[in-house]
Amino acid sequence: MNLYKSNHHRHKHSSYGIKSIDFYACQSSLKFWNSSYKVLSACFILILCILLDCVWVSIAVIVTTGLVNLLVNKVSAGDYIDFLKIPIAFLMLGCIVIVFGISKNPVGDYNIFLFGGYLYFTKTSIGQALALFFKVMGAVSVMYLLALSTPVGEVIMVLKKAHVPDVVVELMNMIYRFIFILAEVHANMKIAAMARLGYIDFKTSCFSFGQIGGNLFILSLQKANTYYDAMVSRGYEGNFPFWEEQKSVKIWQIGIVAAYTGSLLVLYILVK
């Protein structure tokens, strides 16, 4: 019984992790800032981080955005680490491909004889992998800062102002909302399977996974039809009207971003 409660607690936490992004965005102190200004600032910092291509600048961006997320957006440290796990996992796989090479001859700074060939890596490849890792993590951190401080509805309004086609914007909104519905359905299915010992061993787990996947596909179609009928009954005619709160841009807000980007440029000049 204690094992089931422990598994249920971990499952619930991981299943509703996506909801935490929207939750934190709605409680962030930065939600009162102008949305267009936040999107433009985040894009500018992201482009700057990529163009400067400096490890120390990327580390500075990772640290500062992390502190803002923890202190200003009030994200718990555990949740923030969970948010970063997926991009870090993908980055680690990409970095491994960059670091290691395979050759028939013993080349590189370091090599290991393996299965009739040599697995090798060099100091240059390690440096390239580290530079790529920190640069991408800097960009990811900036995007998390935007996502954790700006509700998705406001981001959609910014896209509308940028004249992104309505069909693209509306699909983004519906897909984003539908993810939560499917996540909740999947969570309930997995809890039901766990209660029936559906994950007691590997073979049973594979069977339960297939059953849940098939049922989830059918239920997603049913819920999509219900979702569309609900929209039509409320007057949907192919266009979503979004309410936008008017938020003015303060001079001190511009000063903060200008000072931050200026400090990144100064750091780049100093380390170069």
Side-chain angles (χ1 to χ4, degrees):
M1 187 67 178
N2 291 334
L3 178 61
Y4 169 73
K5 287 183 178 179
S6 176
N7 289 335
H8 171 68
H9 175 74
R10 289 197 299 268
H11 172 69
K12 183 176 180 181
H13 177 75
S14 61
S15 298
Y16 292 93
I18 297 176
K19 289 187 178 180
S20 299
I21 295 179
D22 218 29
F23 169 77
Y24 285 122
C26 292
Q27 75 165 13
S28 170
S29 300
L30 297 179
K31 72 176 182 178
F32 301 106
W33 288 33
N34 183 276
S35 302
S36 299
Y37 176 70
K38 285 189 288 185
V39 171
L40 290 174
S41 299
C43 291
F44 180 74
I45 296 172
L46 184 149
I47 294 172
L48 187 66
C49 180
I50 294 174
L51 290 180
L52 293 181
D53 195 15
C54 176
V55 173
W56 292 107
V57 171
S58 299
I59 292 175
V61 171
I62 294 170
V63 173
T64 52
T65 53
L67 290 175
V68 172
N69 280 324
L70 294 175
L71 302 178
V72 180
N73 293 335
K74 302 173 184 176
V75 181
S76 67
D79 281 344
Y80 191 60
I81 292 173
D82 286 340
F83 292 147
L84 294 176
K85 282 181 180 179
I86 294 178
I88 288 177
F90 278 102
L91 271 175
M92 293 295 291
L93 293 175
C95 289
I96 288 174
V97 174
I98 293 174
V99 170
F100 293 99
I102 300 175
S103 174
K104 294 181 179 180
N105 302 314
V107 297
D109 297 327
Y110 308 95
N111 54 73
I112 303 172
F113 183 76
L114 194 65
F115 302 115
Y118 288 89
L119 183 68
Y120 71 92
F121 59 95
T122 65
K123 296 178 180 178
T124 302
S125 64
I126 294 175
Q128 291 175 341
L130 288 175
L132 176 66
F133 178 85
F134 286 113
K135 181 165 63 174
V136 176
M137 281 307 301
V140 169
S141 299
V142 174
M143 288 294 97
Y144 268 128
L145 176 61
L146 176 63
L148 292 168
S149 63
T150 311
V152 67
E154 296 185 8
V155 175
I156 289 175
M157 283 305 305
V158 175
L159 295 177
K160 276 183 168 288
K161 290 179 181 178
H163 301 291
V164 175
D166 289 340
V167 64
V168 176
V169 173
E170 290 169 9
L171 281 174
M172 286 177 57
N173 178 65
M174 287 190 289
I175 291 172
Y176 180 79
R177 298 302 176 188
F178 207 66
I179 287 173
F180 297 146
I181 298 174
L182 294 183
E184 184 176 359
V185 172
H186 175 264
N188 293 333
M189 285 183 176
K190 191 167 184 179
I191 292 172
M194 291 168 61
R196 293 170 174 81
L197 302 180
Y199 291 89
I200 193 170
D201 54 38
F202 180 74
K203 182 179 179 181
T204 308
S205 299
C206 292
F207 178 77
S208 298
F209 178 80
Q211 290 290 98
I212 290 175
N215 292 335
L216 190 63
F217 175 74
I218 296 172
L219 283 175
S220 65
L221 295 178
Q222 294 175 349
K223 287 186 176 293
N225 290 329
T226 304
Y227 193 61
Y228 180 76
D229 291 340
M231 290 192 301
V232 172
S233 66
R234 288 166 174 79
Y236 175 70
E237 296 180 347
N239 184 38
F240 277 129
F242 290 93
W243 178 81
E244 181 184 15
E245 182 181 357
Q246 297 298 322
K247 303 173 185 177
S248 59
V249 180
K250 305 293 193 304
I251 295 178
W252 61 268
Q253 293 173 346
I254 298 176
I256 289 176
V257 176
Y260 179 71
T261 54
S263 63
L264 293 179
L265 290 173
V266 170
L267 176 61
Y268 174 75
I269 294 171
L270 291 176
V271 297
K272 286 295 182 180

